Amino acid sequence: MGRRTRAAVLTAAALLLGTLALPGSSAAEPRPQTVRITAGAPALAPAAESCDTGTSLTPSTSDSGANVQRIRTRGKLIAGIDTNSDLWGFRDPVTGNLQGFDIDLVHALAQSILGDPNAVEFLAVPTANRISALQSGQVDVVVRTMTITCARLKQVSFSVPYFDAGQEVVAPKSSPITGLNDTVNGKRVCAATGSTGLDLLNANKHGAKVFTVANQLDCLVQMQLGNVDATITDNALGAGQVAQDPTIHLVGGLLDQEVYGVAMKLGSTDLVRRVNAAMQDFLANQWASEYSKWLKPLGASPGAPTPHFAG
């Protein structure tokens, strides 16, 4: 299937997210997977004071904690993911398999905690629903290009970072827009509800008209339909959009610096430590091959983040 045909399939599927439950399927190797959709979520908390987003709890391989024991008794890890972000978490339109960097990370967590990379149930979670899915206990972890922020650290717990990113503007190559500056004055700029991109846009609109959607890929659909003029999203996600549609590009450079982490329910200390043990191994032994496999469109590998632990 050609890239433009694949992009059309992916973007058409994006319009259905949030209304259709997606059936499970196998990835590159046979992997029993169940994908469901969540609904309803609170808005992000207001921006908080500065904090350390690069440090998490000291790793432990102990399985004695209540949260880890619940997962082991259940026999599977329930993970909130994205199913429409090329490179990170998506369902291949040809094979129907769930694929991407975040999907492989979930399998690595399941291997570490349960001894079986396939002992996973996937739950498709829109951007704005990530925190509520953890707070309600619908998922054990969220692995969905989720930026660690001070505000979110008051609502959920995070692992050590596994990727360095930043917000950037995506626009058609034919557009005069050059970034989040005066060139967006009077233009319609799209961002996902509950995203750090929307927070940044609302902080300084430069005269733009804000257009919100449930998931970042919906912004690509809206740009293709001519309903919006540009998108603000993580550069890593923007690269996925560009990979799907060669008529658009990233412009203006990074607007901030962010890090992605695995999110868990606030206060689930034993699970955070157990996930950090898995993350320590993933960053040291698997991250480089996963970058080469999925993230080459982002350019040369910057190398895995160095984990920092305390407490």
Side-chain angles (χ1 to χ4, degrees), residues 147 163-169 196-197 200 232-239 250 253-260:
T147 300
F163 195 80
D164 297 319
Q167 295 299 308
E168 196 161 358
V169 173
T196 50
L200 195 153
I232 182 169
T233 188
D234 297 7
N235 66 322
L237 297 176
L250 289 157
L254 292 182
L255 298 166
D256 64 357
Q257 293 182 327
E258 302 179 355
V259 290
Y260 297 159

Side-chain angles (χ1 to χ4, degrees), residues 87-109:
L87 312 180
W88 293 94
F90 64 98
R91 189 178 290 284
D92 187 279
V94 176
T95 66
N97 298 335
L98 287 171
Q99 299 186 25
F101 189 99
D102 281 345
I103 302 302
D104 286 355
L105 175 53
V106 172
H107 285 297
L109 296 180

Side-chain angles (χ1 to χ4, degrees), residues 124 134 295:
L134 289 165
L295 304 182

